[in-house]
Amino acid sequence: MKRLVAAFALLMIGLCSVAFSQSRSYTVDDLLKVRRVGDPQLSPDGRHVAFTIGDVNFADNRVVNQIYVTAVGGGGELKRLTDGKSSSAAPRWSPDGKKIAFTTGGQVWTMDSDDGGDKKQITKISSGAAAPVWSPDGRWIAFTSDVYADCKDDECNKKRDEQAESSKVKAHIVSRLLYKHWDEWRDVKRTHVFVVASNGGVATDLTPGDFDSPPYAAASGVDYAFSPDSKEIAFLRNPDKVEAISTNSDIYVMPLPQGEPKNITIRNRGYDASPMYTRDGKFIIYRSQATAGFEADRWRLMAYNRATGASVELTQRFDQQVEDVVLSPDGNQIYFTAGERGRHPIFKLAASGGVPQKIVPDIFASGLRITPDGKKLVFLSSSMTAAPDVYSVNTDGSGLMALTSVNRELLGPENLKTA
């Protein structure tokens, strides 16, 4: 999220620079009309991509996101699947491609992937639900919710919220150092990972206790994942008692539906994040920082062997920050983005490690995804003079193509207004 805010700020500066160079300028209203494209998600068959577009609601002074779908082949129209005054976000395809899970109104819903019909509310949890992830067998959806650490069920959380809302005392009483992060209070509730049946029902808290999972500072998107057989889930938590002075987050794995969590990165004292299972289930690929207490440390790419319990670094000969990561379906290649001189090019790396090869230079890529046949990458790309749009490129670096162009009319030079 912070990267998206920074990219949008740079875009605004770039647009003003272009306007100045042409003796023309955008008004504030023009800048606010820029549509925010985000969160591209490929369908299981690789033929379509779902994503969000955010538009400013001037009357309500806020951005409202809706979910759209377009063809990966390009040239197709954008099909809008959600509408209304409330935002819809986090589109995630079911394994069979027939449904899309998403969030709206603080809950997880599903809808038909072809036309957005048959919308069904999956979670009904008082503390809200975010960031849905399907299990590969389609039976479960994992999500996060902020809950009271000492509550054992949703009824307890609901009563505590009602008491806090009705109380005349609004003071914050803190008993630990990490009580506020940026503009958000973190003094009462904890983030936990839940799982619910994909057709709805009572949600189960998989990470009960007085800790955040994923940890607030370490989270890099959705930091939990199901194993290929749907019998295990990997997630993050910080095992240190004084989290305010810790930059440690570890990856835990736990048998499903419920079991004993196991810390698989206990030997590393820096951040571990972004776990993902290889398709054959033999490895968990993740990002890691090695130095305790050093938030700006290099993000390395690691591979954890589930049979031996050993982790090895795959990017020992690479001195840049590994960010978005996707695995090729055949397990032979890893694709990732990394910051380089103000850009985020795409790199390719053999699954056994080695020297990464830059395959798509001179772009700012994020939200990297790969088609099931391993032939194309889909991602967001932006520049100093262009807002993010969804692009595709062949995995050999050829055939770069824009799949969306939602701001073409607004941002074209012919539409710059005279200063």
Side-chain angles (χ1 to χ4, degrees):
M1 179 60 71
K2 293 175 185 175
R3 269 196 324 184
L4 290 177
V5 171
F8 188 74
L10 289 173
L11 168 65
M12 297 301 98
I13 296 171
L15 293 177
C16 292
S17 299
V18 171
F20 181 79
S21 69
Q22 301 187 24
S23 300
R24 294 167 176 252
S25 63
Y26 281 107
T27 66
V28 171
D29 284 345
D30 288 325
L31 298 181
L32 292 177
K33 289 177 183 176
V34 174
R35 310 184 76 191
R36 285 84 159 163
V37 179
D39 200 9
Q41 299 291 327
L42 276 167
S43 61
D45 62 8
R47 297 174 59 188
H48 294 88
V49 57
F51 55 95
T52 60
I53 298 180
D55 293 296
V56 175
N57 183 320
F58 286 87
D60 294 340
N61 192 31
R62 63 191 179 94
V63 175
V64 177
N65 290 283
Q66 301 297 347
I67 297 171
Y68 293 74
V69 170
T70 193
V72 171
E77 296 183 359
L78 305 186
K79 181 183 293 186
R80 181 168 167 169
L81 301 185
T82 61
D83 53 27
K85 293 184 177 180
S86 298
S87 284
S88 295
R92 298 296 184 269
W93 298 81
S94 62
D96 62 8
K98 296 180 179 179
K99 295 286 184 179
I100 292 178
F102 65 104
T103 58
T104 188
Q107 301 293 338
V108 175
W109 292 64
T110 60
M111 61 182 170
D112 291 340
S113 61
D114 56 351
D115 60 4
D118 192 27
K119 290 182 174 64
K120 178 182 179 181
Q121 184 174 343
I122 302 303
T123 63
K124 297 179 180 180
I125 183 169
S126 67
S127 50
V133 172
W134 291 84
S135 63
D137 62 8
R139 295 179 57 201
W140 305 99
I141 296 177
F143 64 92
T144 59
S145 185
D146 288 351
V147 297
Y148 295 95
D150 57 348
C151 278
K152 304 299 182 184
D153 54 36
D154 190 47
E155 185 63 28
C156 173
N157 282 289
K158 184 178 181 180
K159 288 182 179 179
R160 293 280 293 275
D161 278 337
E162 291 172 347
Q163 291 169 357
E165 181 65 26
S166 62
S167 176
K168 294 182 180 180
V169 179
K170 302 301 181 183
H172 288 263
I173 301 173
V174 299
S175 58
R176 63 175 187 266
L177 282 175
L178 191 60
Y179 58 88
K180 195 172 186 181
H181 217 274
W182 296 99
D183 61 350
E184 180 180 358
W185 288 96
R186 305 294 300 175
D187 57 328
V188 178
K189 290 189 173 183
R190 295 291 202 173
T191 300
H192 285 178
V193 179
F194 285 73
V195 69
V196 66
S198 58
N199 61 353
V202 178
T204 300
D205 188 347
L206 298 181
T207 59
D210 191 15
F211 54 83
D212 287 312
S213 177
Y216 183 82
S220 57
V222 179
D223 286 288
Y224 42 94
F226 289 96
S227 61
D229 60 7
S230 302
K231 295 181 179 180
E232 181 180 276
I233 190 169
F235 58 87
L236 303 188
R237 65 162 286 198
N238 187 341
D240 295 347
K241 291 183 178 180
V242 187
E243 58 193 343
I245 59 173
S246 167
T247 61
N248 187 23
S249 70
D250 286 332
I251 297 174
Y252 288 71
V253 295
M254 187 179 75
L256 291 173
Q258 283 184 300
E260 188 66 26
K262 175 186 176 182
N263 187 341
I264 65 172
T265 60
I266 192 171
R267 289 185 291 273
N268 183 52
R269 301 300 297 168
Y271 282 142
D272 297 305
S274 314
M276 60 188 72
Y277 290 81
T278 56
R279 180 166 292 191
D280 60 13
K282 294 181 179 180
F283 294 89
I284 295 177
I285 307 298
Y286 63 98
R287 300 186 309 129
S288 178
Q289 292 181 322
T291 308
F294 186 25
E295 292 188 6
D297 197 11
R298 178 176 66 94
W299 282 104
R300 309 169 297 160
L301 193 61
M302 310 291 293
Y304 169 78
N305 188 315
R306 296 178 71 196
T308 66
S311 287
V312 297
E313 182 182 350
L314 302 178
T315 50
Q316 292 183 10
R317 301 169 65 184
F318 189 70
D319 63 358
Q320 293 157 242
Q321 303 266 20
V322 174
E323 298 195 21
D324 295 315
V325 181
V326 293
L327 313 178
S328 66
D330 61 11
N332 294 327
Q333 303 291 335
I334 300 174
Y335 300 88
F336 64 88
T337 63
E340 181 185 72
R341 300 180 183 273
R343 294 180 173 86
H344 278 80
I346 301 175
F347 295 81
K348 179 174 69 173
L349 175 70
S352 57
V355 180
Q357 173 190 354
K358 190 190 307 181
I359 59 171
V360 189
D362 301 326
I363 62 169
F364 194 103
S366 63
L368 200 61
R369 303 289 181 263
I370 190 168
T371 54
D373 60 9
K375 294 181 178 180
K376 286 184 179 293
L377 298 167
V378 172
F379 55 93
L380 293 178
S381 184
S382 60
S383 71
M384 288 287 288
T385 58
D389 266 307
V390 182
Y391 283 74
S392 70
V393 70
N394 297 327
T395 48
D396 63 1
S398 66
L400 181 65
M401 178 175 62
L403 303 182
T404 64
S405 186
V406 302
N407 291 298
R408 176 178 295 173
E409 294 182 3
L410 174 66
L411 300 181
E414 67 277 8
N415 291 299
L416 290 169
K417 295 185 178 181
T418 303

